[in-house]
Coordinates of all heavy atoms in Angstrom, one line a residue:
L273 N -51.9 -25.4 31.0 CA -51.6 -25.2 32.4 C -52.3 -26.1 33.4 O -51.8 -26.4 34.5 CB -51.9 -23.7 32.8 CG -51.0 -22.6 32.2 CD1 -51.6 -21.3 32.4 CD2 -49.6 -22.7 32.7
L279 N -47.0 -31.0 33.1 CA -46.7 -30.1 32.0 C -45.2 -30.0 31.7 O -44.4 -29.8 32.6 CB -47.2 -28.7 32.3 CG -47.1 -27.6 31.2 CD1 -47.8 -28.0 30.0 CD2 -47.6 -26.3 31.7
L284 N -45.1 -25.6 28.6 CA -45.0 -24.3 29.3 C -44.6 -23.2 28.4 O -45.1 -22.1 28.5 CB -44.1 -24.5 30.5 CG -44.3 -23.4 31.6 CD1 -45.7 -23.4 32.1 CD2 -43.3 -23.8 32.8
V285 N -43.7 -23.5 27.5 CA -43.2 -22.5 26.5 C -44.3 -22.1 25.6 O -44.5 -20.9 25.3 CB -42.0 -23.0 25.8 CG1 -41.7 -22.1 24.6 CG2 -40.7 -23.0 26.7
A288 N -46.8 -19.9 27.4 CA -46.3 -18.5 27.6 C -46.4 -17.8 26.3 O -46.7 -16.6 26.3 CB -44.8 -18.6 28.1
A309 N -50.4 -14.9 32.7 CA -48.9 -14.9 32.9 C -48.6 -15.2 34.3 O -47.5 -15.9 34.6 CB -48.4 -13.5 32.5
A310 N -49.4 -14.8 35.3 CA -49.1 -15.1 36.7 C -49.1 -16.6 36.9 O -48.3 -17.2 37.6 CB -50.1 -14.4 37.6
C311 N -50.1 -17.3 36.2 CA -50.2 -18.7 36.3 C -49.0 -19.4 35.7 O -48.5 -20.4 36.2 CB -51.5 -19.2 35.7 SG -53.0 -18.6 36.5
V312 N -48.6 -18.9 34.5 CA -47.4 -19.5 33.8 C -46.2 -19.3 34.7 O -45.4 -20.3 34.8 CB -47.3 -18.8 32.4 CG1 -45.9 -19.2 31.8 CG2 -48.4 -19.2 31.5
L313 N -46.0 -18.2 35.2 CA -44.8 -17.9 36.0 C -44.8 -18.8 37.3 O -43.8 -19.3 37.7 CB -44.7 -16.4 36.4 CG -44.4 -15.5 35.3 CD1 -44.5 -14.0 35.7 CD2 -43.0 -15.8 34.7
W314 N -46.0 -19.0 37.9 CA -46.1 -19.8 39.1 C -45.7 -21.2 38.8 O -44.9 -21.9 39.5 CB -47.5 -19.8 39.6 CG -47.7 -20.6 40.9 CD1 -48.2 -21.9 40.9 CD2 -47.4 -20.2 42.2 NE1 -48.2 -22.3 42.2 CE2 -47.7 -21.3 43.0 CE3 -46.9 -19.1 42.8 CZ2 -47.6 -21.3 44.4 CZ3 -46.7 -19.0 44.2 CH2 -47.1 -20.1 45.0
R315 N -46.1 -21.7 37.6 CA -45.7 -23.1 37.2 C -44.3 -23.2 36.8 O -43.6 -24.1 37.2 CB -46.6 -23.5 36.0 CG -46.3 -24.9 35.5 CD -46.4 -26.0 36.5 NE -47.6 -25.9 37.3 CZ -47.7 -26.5 38.5 NH1 -46.7 -27.1 39.0 NH2 -48.8 -26.4 39.2
A316 N -43.8 -22.1 36.1 CA -42.3 -22.2 35.7 C -41.4 -22.1 36.9 O -40.3 -22.6 36.9 CB -42.1 -21.0 34.8
A317 N -41.9 -21.4 38.0 CA -41.1 -21.2 39.2 C -41.2 -22.4 40.2 O -40.5 -22.4 41.2 CB -41.4 -19.9 39.9
S318 N -42.0 -23.4 39.9 CA -42.3 -24.4 40.9 C -41.0 -25.2 41.2 O -40.7 -25.5 42.4 CB -43.4 -25.4 40.4 OG -43.1 -25.9 39.2
P319 N -40.1 -25.5 40.2 CA -38.9 -26.2 40.6 C -38.0 -25.3 41.4 O -37.2 -25.8 42.3 CB -38.2 -26.5 39.2 CG -39.3 -26.4 38.2 CD -40.2 -25.4 38.8
L320 N -38.0 -24.0 41.2 CA -37.2 -23.1 42.0 C -37.7 -22.9 43.4 O -36.9 -22.6 44.3 CB -37.1 -21.8 41.3 CG -36.6 -21.8 39.8 CD1 -36.7 -20.4 39.2 CD2 -35.2 -22.4 39.7
R321 N -39.0 -23.1 43.6 CA -39.6 -23.0 44.9 C -39.3 -24.3 45.8 O -39.4 -24.2 47.0 CB -41.1 -22.8 44.9 CG -41.5 -21.5 44.2 CD -43.0 -21.2 44.5 NE -43.8 -22.3 44.3 CZ -44.4 -22.7 43.1 NH1 -44.2 -21.9 42.0 NH2 -45.2 -23.7 43.0
A330 N -32.8 -25.6 35.9 CA -34.1 -25.1 36.2 C -34.2 -23.6 35.9 O -35.3 -23.1 35.4 CB -34.4 -25.3 37.7
W331 N -33.2 -22.8 36.2 CA -33.2 -21.4 35.9 C -33.2 -21.2 34.4 O -33.9 -20.2 34.0 CB -31.9 -20.7 36.5 CG -32.0 -20.5 38.0 CD1 -31.5 -21.3 39.0 CD2 -32.8 -19.5 38.6 NE1 -31.8 -20.8 40.2 CE2 -32.6 -19.6 40.0 CE3 -33.6 -18.4 38.2 CZ2 -33.2 -18.8 41.0 CZ3 -34.1 -17.6 39.1 CH2 -34.0 -17.8 40.5
K333 N -34.6 -23.1 32.1 CA -35.9 -23.4 31.7 C -36.9 -22.3 32.0 O -37.7 -21.9 31.2 CB -36.4 -24.7 32.3 CG -35.7 -26.0 31.8 CD -36.3 -27.2 32.5 CE -35.5 -28.5 32.0 NZ -36.0 -29.7 32.7
A334 N -36.8 -21.8 33.2 CA -37.6 -20.6 33.6 C -37.4 -19.4 32.7 O -38.3 -18.7 32.3 CB -37.4 -20.3 35.0
G335 N -36.1 -19.2 32.3 CA -35.7 -18.1 31.5 C -36.3 -18.3 30.1 O -36.8 -17.3 29.4
V336 N -36.3 -19.5 29.6 CA -36.8 -19.8 28.2 C -38.3 -19.5 28.2 O -38.9 -18.9 27.3 CB -36.6 -21.2 27.8 CG1 -37.4 -21.6 26.6 CG2 -35.1 -21.4 27.6
V337 N -39.0 -19.9 29.3 CA -40.5 -19.6 29.4 C -40.8 -18.2 29.4 O -41.7 -17.7 28.7 CB -41.1 -20.3 30.7 CG1 -42.5 -19.9 30.9 CG2 -40.9 -21.8 30.5
V338 N -40.0 -17.4 30.2 CA -40.2 -16.0 30.3 C -40.0 -15.3 28.9 O -40.7 -14.4 28.5 CB -39.4 -15.3 31.4 CG1 -39.4 -13.8 31.3 CG2 -39.8 -15.8 32.7

Side-chain angles (χ1 to χ4, degrees):
L273 292 170
L279 181 60
L284 199 53
V285 167
C311 297
V312 171
L313 291 174
W314 181 262
R315 179 54 51 198
S318 58
L320 305 177
R321 298 194 311 271
W331 283 101
K333 288 179 181 179
V336 170
V337 172
V338 172

